[in-house]
């Protein structure tokens, strides 16, 4: 989603109210997103929820459950 919007990790982190390192860690699957991270993601991208967005979430869920941290 961040790349689709052409935003840096810093810009997304500021919009979400999280650290840039948290965005980086989740993107690179070094850690699973926390409930607060997911809530911030949901608020930030509410207006972009399209069928493609839900396809992305479904593929992300499969990765997270396959590699739990």
């Amino acid at each position: 989603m961040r790349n689709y919007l052409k935003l840096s990790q810093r810009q997304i982190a500021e919009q979400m109210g999280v650290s840039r390192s948290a965005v980086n860690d989740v993107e690179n699957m070094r850690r699973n997103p926390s409930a607060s991270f997911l809530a911030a993601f949901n608020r930030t991208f509410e207006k972009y929820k399209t069928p493609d967005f839900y396809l992305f979430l479904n593929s992300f869920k499969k990765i997270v459950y396959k590699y739990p941290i």
Side-chain angles (χ1 to χ4, degrees):
M1 184 63 80
R2 179 179 69 79
N3 290 332
Y4 173 77
L5 297 173
K6 297 182 172 88
L7 297 172
S8 69
Q9 287 181 344
R10 182 187 53 77
Q11 291 169 313
I12 287 296
E14 288 174 0
Q15 288 183 23
M16 290 176 60
V18 300
S19 68
R20 188 210 52 82
S21 64
V23 172
N24 184 289
D25 288 349
V26 170
E27 282 186 359
N28 291 297
M29 296 190 299
R30 283 192 285 273
R31 70 177 181 180
N32 284 333
S34 65
S36 61
F37 184 96
L38 291 173
F41 183 89
N42 187 45
R43 283 191 307 273
T44 302
F45 294 108
E46 181 71 35
K47 61 187 167 198
Y48 299 104
K49 289 183 178 175
T50 65
D52 288 338
F53 175 82
Y54 289 104
L55 287 173
F56 163 77
L57 282 184
N58 284 332
S59 65
F60 185 72
K61 284 181 193 176
K62 290 175 187 174
I63 292 169
V64 170
Y65 291 125
K66 186 175 179 183
Y67 302 104
I69 295 175

